[in-house]
Each structure stands twice: as structure tokens, then as C-alpha cells.
Amino acid sequence: MGKKRVMLPAKDVDLSSIKYEREVVQAPHLTGFVFRLFVRILELPLIGPIIINVLKKQNKIDQILQHTVIPEEPMFKPEYPPQETEPGVVVLEEDGRPEDRVLSALKCLPHYDVAELWENSYASFRYWKIRDYAHAYRSRKVTPSMVAEHIISIIEENGGNKPPIPLLISFVAAEVREQAAASTQRFEAGNPLSILDGIFMAIKDDIDCYPHPSKGASTWMHEVRTVKKDAVCVSRLRSCGVIFVGKANMHELGMGTTGNNPNYGTARNPHAPDRYTGGSSSGPAAIVASGICSAALGTDGGGSIRIPSSLCGVVGLKTTYGRTSMEGSLCDSGTVEIIGPIASSVEDVMLVYAAMLGASPASRISLRPSPPCLPTLSSNDYSNALGSLRIGKYTPWFNDVHSTEISDKCEDALNLLSKEHGCEMIEIVIPELLEMRTAHVVSIGSECLCSLNPDCEDGKGVKLAYDTRTSLALFRSFTAADYVAAQCIRRRNMYYHMEIFKKVDVIVTPTTGMTAPRIPPSALKSGETDMQTAANLMQFVVPANLLGLPAISVPVGYDQEGLPIGLQIMGRPWAEATILRVASAVEKLCGESKKKPASYYDVLKAN
């Protein structure tokens, strides 16, 4: 007796009585032989479920899901009230040509004297932007084929490094040369397809990019799923002239936050090779941060774009759920995942996003998305829209980080934003964060298990990495009742956030609760389980996934060890333009002190 807990309806919760509850994960950190043994015990019929149940009780999962009366009805995928049009924006034609949307995006960007920057050398480090490549191609300073040769040599050399730097899982030099030659011919004829023509991109290994297989960084997914064409988002980028270098490394099947991968090797953080990149979009973030590609596509179901972008010091955009088509990806049937761009600057993210956006027919019916928009960064509306901005901050949550260097750097960025543009800072309260994290792991875990079960039952499960098998053991313990309870929690949290967005325009947090963690040498061969590190990395990213809200990570500085720190800006549904505007302002205020990564390649001016 006494286990039952009854929640008040969300609308009746007294926010003034809410006390912030810090998440402390009760689970062992294991690597090497002990970890392999633990997984085998975990998969035993009788002992395994007992261990899982003990861990679930220690972490209050059963209390939240099975002992609690939740008055709200379930929300099985995000549902949004109608949204007002954002100020100072350009509306993009969702059904139009991707090339035309990219041209509209280009007109939104501020003035940029490409020729001057190309000719002059600067003391401080800066990444080449997409506009730099376009200028170099158009002025015949360099060709896409010349850049392709630089990239090919780097990728081939990296494979032989000690330790190896496995940024790509699938790479065919001849195919890269063929795409680059076609782009070079278009420039010679004076007919580039768009500003993205000749721009090199990597595609995460869970997104289809023909003729490459989509393995999800596993050893067998390509055996049971054939790639016959590009994913929709890849097809849209290809029509703009993008050159795809191959399929980027990732945490196996997206089930991890570090980027550890024993199957193909673990991608290294360009700022510190003994550190993780973050995951699961490890390869995409690392390949952008190291300068090899201007941009990459990742997927984000639990921070998988924003976490590695933050840890590698680049920009990562998670769109509103349903804003971009998921057709042609391994996670095309989930309710928390999106495909989004990673780039070294906000403006490059905008250009790639403009090309790839467009909801699927099913999402348009069920989600009724507002028209996609971009902020006009080149007009007077830019300052006016920023000046009227209301920024929400839940201070106890904001400050709950592994090191105060993270919250301090993010606070500094917000102070600069307020001082420069007069933005209003508003203190908010977000209830039931622990419940939200639990609902998220049940939702994404159950959806992953549903898609993988047939192949696991067919004998493929034992071929998965040990940390993936650990996650699946947990996911198998969730019941149908747990899943429904999680969706009731999703509705409660959607109510809280929609009420908050009546008072603020964006919610700001650090992107991650820690900077890039060290890679234990003992974890390289067999992986590891480290749930506290996972919790630290996912500390702030979950609401955007469970509720489908747009969010972006933008670099704001470094800790004392030179590791990047990111600020997360989360917006109301369909408000990509607002978060891009804020991210652009933050980038401008914090971008002067960029550090050159330890592993960086200048592929544009290589000669």
C-alpha cells in the first residue's frame, strides 16, 4: 500500500510550488570484459529481467509509469494549436523547387564581402562559408574537382592514421569525382544550379543516399534493407547541385549519445582526439568541424544533431517534427525524430534547410504545419524583431551542469544579447522534467524496438554492439501500459510548454550538461554503458524531441581545456525562423573568438 500517486490535471498545477529535481542516474559505468559479461547476463531469461527491474526502480521509472494516475489522455504524436505568423520573415514555397527556396534564403542573408575576405588573411580562425565556395568557383580560383581531390586525399589518409579517424562508413572516390566533374562543367558553362552547387556534404548513415547502403553503422542493416533511391531530403539537395562525399559514421542505430562505434571505429572530436564527438550524429558533426565538408545531414531523436554539434563547436538545427520529410531514413516511422542540417555557421544551416524542407503529405494532414519561413537577416526588421524578443530561462535547470564554465558561457551570451538588442529575459518554470525524460526514453525506445524486433528475432540481434543490446534489453521491459502512460505525460508537458510560449518566444539552455567526455581506451573495442554521461549530454535536449519543438545549438565559447560549449535555443511549433534569428545574433556576438580545431583541413585553399 502507499505506492499509488495521483497527479493533478496539468492546468491545475501550482507552478509556484514546483521544486527543481536534479536527475541522478543509478547505473554502473562498464567497459571491456566486465561490460561484455554484464550484457550476456542481462540477456539471460530469468536473471536479466530482475536486473532491469532493479535499475528501473532505482531510477523511479516504475513509480512514474506504473504507480501514477495521469489524468490527461495520451498524445501519440505531437499536436499543436494554430500558431501566429513570425515577424520579419520570408515565407518559402513548400511545393516549389528547392533551388528557388535556396535563392530566397540567400536573399535573407546579410551583406558579406566575399571577395575581400578571400583576398585578405585574418589573424583569427574562421570557417569557409558556402558563399566563399560559390565565389571561388564563379571566379575560377578553384573548381569543385580540385576541392574533390583535396577531400579524397584527406579521407584516404585518415583511414591509415593511428588512431584511425573513421569519419565515413561508405565512401567511393570515383563517385565523388564524377559528381565534382559534373559540377565543374556547370560552372564552366556559367550554369550552376544554385548557391549549393559544388558544395560538399556528408550524409549520416541512417539516411538513404544512393548508391550507398544505409547500415545505420551496424554490420547487417544493409543486408535486410536495400537502398534504391535517395531519401527525399537528399534528392532535394542533389537537385541544387550538392556533392555527396558518402555516408558518415554514427553511434550504432542512433542508440547512444557519445558516438562510440566498435563496428567501424569511433569518430574523434576535431578539437581533442581523445574526446568523443557526441552522438549519434558523430561523423556529420566531426566532418563539418574539421573543415572537410561545408555541411552534413544528421537525424535527431534524442539530441543526436544538437549534442555532437555542441561538442564539436558547430551549428546544428532540429526542426519542428514533420517540417522535413523522413521518407528514406531508418527512423521514418517514429514520433520524435527529424532529419536536419549541421554546418559551421547559421547562414549555411539556413541555406541547406531551405533546400531540404517540406513536410510529407501525411504530416500535412495530421500536423497542419504553418508555412515554412526564414528570418530576414539583411533588413531593419532584424533588429526590431530581436528587440521585441522575450527569452525564457528556467534558472535551476539552466545551471544544472557538470561544470559552471558551461552555464557561465551561456549566461554571458544571453547578457550580450540583452545588452546589444534589448531582449527581455523572463524567468519561467518547467514542471515534471524527470517525467518528461522517462516518457521520452519509453517513446523512442519502444519505437526503435518495434522497427528492429523482426530482424532481432531473425538472429540479427546478437550482431549488434553491446551498448545497443543493453538499450534493447531495457526497451523490451517496457509494457503497452508504460507506452500509453508516456504519451499521457507527453500531453501534460505539451500543455506546460504551450502555456510558457504564451509568455516567451524562445526557451534557452546550454545544449549539453557537459563538454566532450574522454574516450576510455577500454571502450573502443566493445563500447561502454555510461548512463550518467548520457544523462549529462541529454540534460536539455529532450523536450524538443518529445514535443517536436524546433531547437538549434550554436557555439558560444570554450571551457578551460579548449572544448566547445553550445547554447540551445528552443522555439514554439513551426518557429524555425525565430530560433534561426536568435542563433544568428548569438553567433555574431560570440563568434569572434573561434579556435581552430586541432584536426582541421582547409580544402578550399589547400594549394
Side-chain angles (χ1 to χ4, degrees), residues 48-120:
I50 293 172
I51 295 171
I52 290 287
N53 284 335
V54 169
L55 289 171
K56 284 167 69 178
K57 285 177 182 176
Q58 286 179 334
N59 291 284
K60 300 183 180 178
I61 292 175
D62 284 347
Q63 178 190 345
I64 290 168
L65 297 172
Q66 296 181 4
H67 304 155
T68 303
V69 178
I70 307 168
E72 281 73 21
E73 63 183 44
M75 178 187 287
F76 291 104
K77 62 162 55 176
E79 299 170 11
Y80 308 120
Q83 301 296 310
E84 295 180 6
T85 304
E86 300 165 89
V89 299
V90 168
V91 178
L92 302 179
E93 180 52 58
E94 198 165 6
D95 293 317
R97 299 192 319 149
E99 306 96 297
D100 294 336
R101 290 198 299 270
V102 171
L103 183 59
S104 296
L106 188 60
K107 292 175 181 177
C108 291
L109 302 181
H111 172 71
Y112 180 62
D113 194 335
V114 185
E116 182 189 344
L117 288 165
W118 176 270
E119 298 299 339
N120 296 328

Side-chain angles (χ1 to χ4, degrees), residues 1-251:
M1 295 293 290
K3 287 185 178 180
K4 179 177 172 181
R5 185 172 68 122
V6 180
M7 284 181 157
L8 284 172
K11 63 182 178 61
D12 296 333
V13 171
D14 178 9
L15 296 185
S16 66
S17 67
I18 299 297
K19 288 184 171 57
Y20 179 75
E21 187 176 353
R22 190 168 193 274
E23 182 181 27
V24 179
V25 177
Q26 303 289 329
H29 176 199
L30 304 174
T31 63
F33 170 76
V34 176
F35 179 40
R36 297 194 296 273
L37 179 63
F38 174 76
V39 173
R40 291 195 170 96
I41 293 171
L42 208 59
E43 292 175 336
L44 292 174
L46 296 176
I47 302 172
I50 293 172
I51 295 171
I52 290 287
N53 284 335
V54 169
L55 289 171
K56 284 167 69 178
K57 285 177 182 176
Q58 286 179 334
N59 291 284
K60 300 183 180 178
I61 292 175
D62 284 347
Q63 178 190 345
I64 290 168
L65 297 172
Q66 296 181 4
H67 304 155
T68 303
V69 178
I70 307 168
E72 281 73 21
E73 63 183 44
M75 178 187 287
F76 291 104
K77 62 162 55 176
E79 299 170 11
Y80 308 120
Q83 301 296 310
E84 295 180 6
T85 304
E86 300 165 89
V89 299
V90 168
V91 178
L92 302 179
E93 180 52 58
E94 198 165 6
D95 293 317
R97 299 192 319 149
E99 306 96 297
D100 294 336
R101 290 198 299 270
V102 171
L103 183 59
S104 296
L106 188 60
K107 292 175 181 177
C108 291
L109 302 181
H111 172 71
Y112 180 62
D113 194 335
V114 185
E116 182 189 344
L117 288 165
W118 176 270
E119 298 299 339
N120 296 328
S121 59
Y122 288 83
S124 60
F125 169 73
R126 59 184 288 272
Y127 283 102
W128 294 116
K129 295 182 179 181
I130 286 170
R131 286 196 273 182
D132 292 310
Y133 281 85
H135 168 75
Y137 295 154
R138 284 182 169 89
S139 58
R140 308 290 175 92
K141 297 178 186 298
V142 70
T143 67
S145 288
M146 291 165 65
V147 176
E149 292 305 321
H150 300 152
I151 291 172
I152 288 166
S153 65
I154 291 164
I155 290 169
E156 290 177 345
E157 285 171 16
N158 278 347
N161 281 4
K162 299 295 180 188
I165 304 174
L167 298 174
L168 295 175
I169 285 174
S170 179
F171 164 72
V172 180
E175 195 214 346
V176 177
R177 289 189 173 105
E178 184 180 340
Q179 295 176 79
S183 179
T184 298
Q185 287 178 352
R186 290 193 293 270
F187 277 100
E188 288 174 348
N191 295 313
L193 297 173
S194 76
I195 192 84
L196 295 179
D197 205 336
I199 299 303
F200 291 81
M201 286 185 62
I203 304 299
K204 189 179 179 184
D205 197 37
D206 60 354
I207 305 168
D208 292 346
C209 183
Y210 186 80
H212 299 273
S214 290
K215 304 176 183 177
S218 72
T219 58
W220 55 264
M221 181 59 72
H222 59 294
E223 297 172 1
V224 299
R225 183 183 177 278
T226 305
V227 174
K228 297 180 180 177
K229 61 179 182 178
D230 288 334
V232 168
C233 57
V234 173
S235 175
R236 289 169 179 163
L237 288 163
R238 201 184 288 276
S239 72
C240 295
V242 167
I243 298 169
F244 300 109
V245 300
K247 302 300 290 296
N249 203 349
M250 60 181 284
H251 208 114

